[in-house]
Amino acid sequence: KTYLAIAKDRNFLMPTLAVSAVFFFLFAYIGGATLVYQESYGLSTQQFGLLFGATGVTIIFGAMVAGRMVSRLGLGKLSMLGVSCMAIGATISLGAAASEVGLAGVVAGMAIALFGLGIAESTLMSLVMSSQEKALGSTAALLGAFQLSISSTATPVAGLVLEYGPVAWVALLAASAIVVCVLTKISV
C-alpha cells in the first residue's frame, strides 16, 4: 500500500521519472563511449581512460556547484539549469559528431552535459525525497527501483544505436536529454 500511494503521488512520480531519465543518459553515455572514442575516433586504451576520467570529473563539479547554489536558486531553478546544460552539451556533441569538428567537439559537449548531469542528479533526487513527509525509506527504495529499472535499458539501447555509428549514439544522448528537460519542466 505504501509503495502504491507514493507512486501515485505526482510530486514523487514526475521528478522520479526525470532523475531516472538522467541515469538513462548516463548509462547510455557509459555504454557507448568506449566504442565511439576508441573505434570511431581512434583513441588508445590509455587515451580513452584519461579522457573518460576527465569528462567524468565534471559530474562531481556539477554536484559541487549544485550544493553551493541551491540556497540561492532553489531546487526547481537549479534542476532546470542542470538539465539545460545536459541538452546544450548533447546538442554540441551531436553537431560535432555530424560535422568535421569531430572528437574535440564531442568531448567538449559531453563535458558540459555531464556537468549538468551532476547538477540535475542531486537536485532532482532532492525534489523526489522532499515530495514525501513520511515513509522516506520506502520513498528512497521506490526511487531506486525506478532509476535502476529505467537506466538498465540504456546500455542495450546504446549498443543497438551504435550499429549506426557515433552520430546515432550522440543523437540518442541528445534525445534523452530533451526527455529529461521535459520531465524536469513538468516536475518543477
Side-chain angles (χ1 to χ4, degrees):
K1 283 185 190 180
T2 302
Y3 287 126
L4 190 56
I6 294 168
K8 285 182 178 181
D9 183 349
R10 189 181 193 302
N11 293 325
F12 165 83
L13 185 60
M14 298 316 296
T16 295
L17 292 174
V19 78
S20 297
V22 166
F23 275 85
F24 179 95
F25 179 99
L26 178 62
F27 286 109
Y29 172 71
I30 292 168
T34 304
L35 291 171
V36 169
Y37 291 161
Q38 289 183 301
E39 290 184 16
S40 299
Y41 292 109
L43 294 182
S44 70
T45 304
Q46 290 174 332
Q47 291 170 323
F48 168 74
L50 289 171
L51 185 64
F52 189 77
T55 54
V57 166
T58 62
I59 296 172
I60 296 167
F61 290 140
M64 289 169 52
V65 165
R68 291 177 187 237
M69 295 179 67
V70 70
S71 61
R72 281 183 283 188
L73 296 178
L75 290 174
K77 285 183 182 176
L78 202 50
S79 295
M80 285 306 302
L81 175 65
V83 299
S84 296
C85 287
M86 287 177 67
I88 290 166
T91 302
I92 290 169
S93 292
L94 180 57
S99 69
E100 294 183 20
V101 174
L103 180 63
V106 171
V107 171
M110 280 298 111
I112 293 167
L114 293 173
F115 173 79
L117 187 144
I119 294 171
E121 175 188 355
S122 58
T123 55
L124 287 168
M125 283 187 174
S126 294
L127 279 173
V128 171
M129 293 307 296
S130 67
S131 73
Q132 304 299 305
E133 292 182 13
K134 51 187 175 178
L136 295 179
S138 297
T139 302
L142 195 55
L143 168 61
F146 270 92
Q147 280 178 273
L148 293 176
S149 298
I150 291 171
S151 65
S152 69
T153 64
T155 303
V157 170
L160 291 171
V161 169
L162 274 167
E163 301 223 357
Y164 300 98
V167 174
W169 172 69
V170 181
L172 170 67
L173 296 175
S176 67
I178 290 176
V179 168
V180 169
C181 286
V182 170
L183 290 169
T184 302
K185 183 67 175 165
I186 293 168
S187 299
V188 295

